[in-house]
Amino acid sequence: MTTTNTRKEIEVLTREECLRLLAAEEVGRIAVVLGRQPLIMPVNYVLDDETIVLRSDPGTKLATASFERVAFEVDHVDRERQTGWSVLVQGVGQEITPAFSRLFERVRALAIAPWAPGDKERWLRIVPIEISGRRVGRSATS
Amino acid sequence: MSAQPESVSLQPMSRDECLKYLAAMPVGRLAIASPGAAPLVVPVNYVLDGEIVVFRSDPGEKVLLLRGSPVSFQIDQIDPFRRTGWSVLVQGVAYEATPREIEHLHIDPWAPGEKSHWVRIVPASITGRRIQLPELRRDSKGYL
């Protein structure tokens, strides 16, 4: 059994800190619920003001996220120092269709460049209800 | 050995490959559905025991929600420079482990707390996929 000399701590992140971290990342994970089964999928995204915007093809994400409660998570893990942080956005998914006109134009203009193949000509945003985050491990200020 | 795709593609990973990655990572993400609310997603330290993901938790909402519930456990690795990555998703049912089930296991969570509850995720499915880049040349074992 290994013991570490570092003092384990947990730090609750402020909403501002969470938004700063969300703005700085480009890949996060959307969690949707299919029936009773939660699913987690990595996606490219951008933070637009305080909403998460991502592109998708028709499929599970669009079918299960639009007008449903969803979550979005980003994190960073430092294996060597045994530290990490995570930010969780819990909110409502909303597909932005051309019917939204100005909002549609706005999300289309965002520079979201998915790494995965596919046209991804559908836009989904997550409107946050709650944003929370924490940092764990050694007392760290990264 | 399959031919190299002409363009970026999304390739399924074998169950063995998924398990190999699951055995190697220190942290994964647990997703729990919460009736009438958004799912909860939290990173946890874990170990893989055979094909079963085991993690420790403090008593609280998380443990109450996940007993006997369908959950997901996910790991991934992303490479922002090459714009690629892989993701493994375990879908299963979580239940609290008996002392005998965990006596041979050791988990040292990075987060503070007693974490006296040991939880096992019995997998119903283990799937993975990776973004395959066209310029990669791999040998038959999947190495660069």
Side-chain angles (χ1 to χ4, degrees), chain A residues 1 8-9 26-27 29 31 33 36-40 42 69-71 73 75 77 79 82-83 86 88 90 113 115 117 137, chain B residues 8-10 24 26 29 31 33 37-39 41 43 70-72 74 76 78 80 83-84 87 91 106 108-110 112 131:
Chain A
M1 179 164 167
K8 290 172 180 178
E9 291 179 2
E26 58 181 322
V27 176
R29 294 149 205 100
V33 181
R36 290 180 61 216
Q37 177 69 55
L39 302 171
I40 309 176
R69 300 289 186 110
V70 298
E73 191 258 10
D75 60 41
V77 168
R79 189 169 196 164
Q82 302 202 342
T83 64
S86 70
L88 179 64
Q90 293 173 299
W115 299 350
Chain B
V8 176
S9 64
L10 207 52
R29 301 161 197 94
V41 183
V71 298
S72 274
Q74 188 261 0
D76 60 39
I78 59 172
R83 299 166 54 85
T84 184
S87 172
Q91 299 176 55
H106 174 73
D108 190 16
W110 300 351
I131 297 173

Side-chain angles (χ1 to χ4, degrees), chain B residues 11-22 51 86-89 125-130 141:
Chain B
Q11 299 287 336
M13 289 156 64
S14 72
R15 187 184 178 93
D16 284 349
E17 194 175 12
C18 294
L19 288 168
K20 188 188 75 178
Y21 284 124
L22 280 166
E51 297 193 347
W86 55 260
S87 172
V88 169
L89 182 67
S125 86
I126 300 175
T127 54
R129 49 188 199 171
R130 77 165 75 250
K141 289 177 179 160

Side-chain angles (χ1 to χ4, degrees), chain B residues 22 36 39 58 61 65 104 112 124-125 127 131 135 139 141:
Chain B
L22 280 166
D58 280 324
E61 190 194 15
L65 277 173
H104 60 293
S125 86
T127 54
I131 297 173
E135 68 267 31
D139 69 15
K141 289 177 179 160

Side-chain angles (χ1 to χ4, degrees), chain B residues 116-130:
Chain B
S116 53
H117 294 268
W118 291 63
V119 180
R120 284 159 53 97
I121 301 173
V122 178
S125 86
I126 300 175
T127 54
R129 49 188 199 171
R130 77 165 75 250

Side-chain angles (χ1 to χ4, degrees), chain A residues 45-126:
Chain A
Y45 76 99
V46 297
L47 184 71
D48 179 36
D49 198 1
E50 295 195 354
T51 70
I52 308 291
V53 184
L54 52 106
R55 290 171 56 174
S56 180
D57 284 318
T60 308
K61 280 194 288 285
L62 277 173
T64 54
S66 212
F67 301 106
E68 297 291 341
R69 300 289 186 110
V70 298
F72 186 82
E73 191 258 10
V74 293
D75 60 41
H76 183 77
V77 168
D78 184 334
R79 189 169 196 164
E80 208 150 294
R81 296 167 65 213
Q82 302 202 342
T83 64
W85 57 258
S86 70
V87 171
L88 179 64
V89 177
Q90 293 173 299
V92 176
Q94 182 183 36
E95 183 178 357
I96 306 301
T97 63
F100 284 84
S101 62
R102 283 176 65 179
L103 183 55
F104 184 67
E105 292 310 315
R106 181 188 168 103
V107 297
R108 272 175 70 94
L110 296 170
I112 312 170
W115 299 350
D119 292 337
K120 308 214 182 289
E121 290 294 314
R122 308 276 288 266
W123 277 261
L124 187 69
R125 73 171 187 171
I126 299 167

